[in-house]
Amino acid sequence: AGAVGIWHISRPEPVEVEVKPVTRGSVERTVANTRAGTVKACRRAKLSPGIGGQIAKLNVNKGDSVKAGQLLLEIWNADLEAQATLTEREVNAARSRRNAVCLKADVARRNADRLVKLLRSNAVSEERVDNAVTEADTFRAECEAARAEVQVREAQLAVVKANLARTRLEAPFDGVIAEINGELFEYVTPSPVGIPTPPAVDIIDVSCFYVAAPIDEVDAAGVRVDMSARVTMDAFRDRSFKGHVRRISDYVLDIEKQARTVEVEVTFDRPEQAAALLPGYSADIEVILERRDDVIRVPTEAIMDGRRVFVFQRDEGTVALRNIRTGISNWDQTEVLEGLAPDEWVVVNVDNPELADGAAAVPIEERP
């Protein structure tokens, strides 16, 4: 009895272990971004007038929805408007002169043709016919000159209208006004070469979004366009969005000297699910390189050195160290090819220094 009592007193306390079951299911091999990605609009335009001047019209406010072609801002252009009106009238006058001269040319040609027919029957003199033909040719040349003058005037009008268009900002697509830098009667100037200045109007297309995120150059080698991907965001912690890779950068970013990455863009499979997104949200992407279904899997955190796990033997109340052979894996699950069977239990708190092969153990949730 004394010996039994000594043994009970001196035996080691069971190791507390956190266990999870070996299951069957799907395992995916994935790669993820190394730094936070960004939600971006498929189209975004930062607009400024082509010339400097005073803002005469500002038809939008920050946050307004606009349609393609809608006038956003206009620089004072009364002088160009007057010049356009003058040039239009000059065009109309030139067209009228052309019509008059060309009508005279037609009449002169018909008269000359009649006199040529009369000359064959010696009803008119040859001199009169020559004069009529020459007059018809002269009017025809004047008609061509008048047509050329109309083309010149029309080209001048196109130049004036082009200069007039440089004073106006129109929406290039349907979108939302993200920023306005300027007020009525303020002066705006175009950016000098090499010196960026804030745009007068910043417009964003909020009907289409994608995520751009940097992936380590080593992991990016396995990524291909059209691969499936998942997108998660801090703003929507309880949701993930399905997508696919639409673009892989053609060059390596060298923003950080020791961390070189490749930018990968992921679009959403269901754009309507992304309707609540805002450009600039931080986002993470997970590209699915390979997927296997109905395989034996264990939590990745339970595996040591890529080939060993502690198996909890509930009947004996001990843990056993076992070698396994693994397949594909991700942060959560790892495929097991050999060494484990479904419904076995593995230890996940493998950093416990008291763990050893054959050690007595008790699950944390079952600790009295």
Side-chain angles (χ1 to χ4, degrees), residues 110-310:
R110 288 195 295 270
N111 290 335
D113 291 341
R114 283 195 293 267
L115 290 176
V116 169
K117 292 179 181 179
L118 293 175
L119 179 63
R120 295 172 184 169
S121 58
N122 295 320
V124 293
S125 66
E126 185 174 350
E127 180 181 1
R128 184 178 175 185
V129 172
D130 288 342
N131 290 336
V133 170
T134 300
E135 183 181 13
D137 291 340
T138 301
F139 278 122
R140 177 54 55 189
E142 291 180 357
C143 176
E144 294 299 327
R147 288 174 176 169
E149 181 183 2
V150 170
Q151 293 176 346
V152 171
R153 296 297 184 185
E154 289 175 342
Q156 291 175 341
L157 179 60
V159 171
V160 175
K161 287 185 175 181
N163 289 330
L164 192 59
R166 297 173 65 192
T167 67
R168 295 169 176 159
L169 286 184
E170 295 181 350
F173 47 78
D174 295 354
V176 172
I177 303 301
E179 194 67 45
I180 297 176
N181 294 298
E183 297 291 343
L184 279 174
F185 311 120
E186 286 186 351
Y187 280 85
V188 294
T189 58
S191 298
V193 177
I195 304 176
T197 58
V201 178
D202 186 1
I203 180 173
I204 296 175
D205 180 2
V206 294
S207 65
C208 174
F209 294 100
Y210 69 95
V211 176
I215 288 182
D216 189 273
E217 59 180 342
V218 176
D219 296 331
V223 179
R224 298 289 182 270
V225 172
D226 290 331
M227 279 185 169
S228 297
R230 281 188 295 269
V231 177
T232 56
M233 284 169 268
D234 291 340
F236 300 91
R237 295 186 179 182
D238 57 340
R239 297 178 60 187
S240 64
F241 301 83
K242 292 183 179 180
H244 62 275
V245 177
R246 78 164 191 175
R247 175 183 172 270
I248 303 169
S249 179
D250 297 322
Y251 56 91
V252 175
L253 297 175
D254 192 15
I255 298 177
E256 298 180 9
K257 294 183 179 180
Q258 300 302 324
R260 305 196 177 196
T261 58
V262 176
E263 186 175 73
V264 174
E265 296 178 1
V266 172
T267 57
F268 297 91
D269 289 345
R270 297 179 61 184
E272 66 276 9
Q273 289 186 337
L277 301 184
L278 297 176
Y281 272 157
S282 63
D284 295 313
I285 64 173
E286 193 176 16
V287 181
I288 303 171
L289 304 180
E290 185 180 358
R291 177 186 173 95
R292 294 182 184 174
D293 296 318
D294 195 27
V295 298
I296 298 174
R297 62 185 186 178
V298 296
T300 301
E301 58 185 330
I303 300 176
M304 301 175 294
D305 304 327
R307 59 185 180 84
R308 297 185 301 165
V309 295
F310 279 108

